[in-house]
Amino acid sequence: MTITSLRQKLLPDGPVLDIHVHPLNCFGSYGVSSPVEDAERLIATACRSGVTRMCVFSLHETTPYEPTPDQCRFANNYVLRMRDAQPDAILPFCYVTPAFPDEAVAEIERCVGGQSMAGVKLWVARRATDLGLDPIMEAAVSLDVPVLQHAWLKSTGNLPGESTPYDVADLARRHPRARIIMAHLNGVGHRGIEALADVSNVVVDTSGGDPESGMVEAAVNRLGAHRVVYGSDAPIRHFGVTMNKVLGAEIADADKRAILWDNALRILNLRGETGDPS
Amino acid sequence: MIIDVNAWTGPWPALVNVPYDVASVRSSLHAYGVERIFMAPLAAAWSANPHLCNRVVFEAADAYADIIPVPVIDPTLPTWPAELEKAAGHRTVRMIKLMPSYGRYGLDAVDELFEEAARANLVVTVQIRINDPRRHHPLAMVPDVPAGDVAEAAKRHPNLKLVMGGASAATLREFAAQVRDLPDLYADTSQVDGVDSVKMLVDAGIGGKLLFGSHAPVFMPAAAMARVLNDLPDDAAVGIMKDNAAGLLRA
């Protein structure tokens, strides 16, 4: 096998939509001076691994666990500037905190309703069982966008406001019309997969943790390929390392294509798009 | 030709429905062009006597010419000199592995072993971690080996060739200057993650000290390949995936 043929084997044979990306100014090892530079550098490295489009959400450059509404607005404005610089590649998500439900709903209306952001991002301010999420979920349903909810099962202990997959399942049952993306397949593991088995309005993204063997296969076998979606969690994780969890998995080629592209189009209501915009 | 300096065989509690026998691991790496596999016994991590686990990799080397055994030596066992001698006398062994976190010893207690390994011209890999501590079983939490302890050992033993195995990208960025400046300190790429992570280490001047490691079967070979190949030109990638290891390990 030549290096050239090996390189080819590690790249996708079609377009790829990464549903879980942060700006470099949140978690990246590179310093960037502006949202425009952030978008350019992020896309350059994503392209080397074959990613064509990405959902991007900022958690504010200081990544506070308990952001203020102002910090959320600042983060969202940053991502909107990234989107404006690279509109073909970047689908921005609106970051809000359930600690301020009224402000969160207003921010969703501003960003999703007014600026056509593609989804809502929830991190670790409150667990998904918190009732502060309810108006946020109702706003997302009303505007017909998905919500990406951070989740982990850490043996070292979750943060106080950090959701487990069981919390996400609870959220999904409370809001059966919501489309929920649970982050971090490799962070929630086999127990996380099981927690989602009977809540059909949740898909799991492939990010989180190391590229452990067998996890994508386990998710596809238990949930179905239609409920698994490619997410890298870049820049914390490498676009290509995460993508090759899917490309290297022992699953059908059609399932790989669904995970890398088709499922994201369905979740984001972009079904009219069928190819590589570049 | 690709040389993998950090492959394993054997059971790992967190692996579910993943084949870990020698033939399966070898096949999974062959699929991505790996032609030299430095293989250690994964069961050694949890064994009261890791030396008993080395048999599987010695037998693998008898069965397959492309597998080079990496026996795990536990310096807290009185039999470590004999196990080291066995490794040194084996026709293909070039490297031994230490798992200090699992054996519950510090590298400051290993100086005699390091001296003997250097005399036998054996490379020593110190396994920093096997997987993310956040994903450990809650009743089996094992801390990482402090990478600084490996760098200090490299300073104390200038005739010893040492490899940091399984260090994270953040750890290697933190210790890049030591890896660059200590002539016989190396690191593998098996747990380096993050955007441009290997490329950034190359840019930091340690491309000549990086060795490709897959961490198979715990991690997926394809993912290990991508972190090196997707961001680097051929010459830098071939250095990490073959030339550096060939020079160090005479493979």
Side-chain angles (χ1 to χ4, degrees), chain B residues 142-156:
Chain B
V142 179
D144 288 356
V145 176
D149 291 358
V150 185
E152 287 303 312
K155 290 175 191 166
R156 289 198 307 274

Side-chain angles (χ1 to χ4, degrees), chain B residues 214-247:
Chain B
S214 70
H215 207 44
V218 183
F219 292 175
M220 299 176 69
M225 299 281 168
R227 65 166 56 98
V228 179
L229 279 174
N230 285 16
D231 298 322
L232 295 176
D234 281 358
D235 56 346
V238 170
I240 293 168
M241 301 187 88
K242 184 185 78 171
D243 295 343
N244 298 344

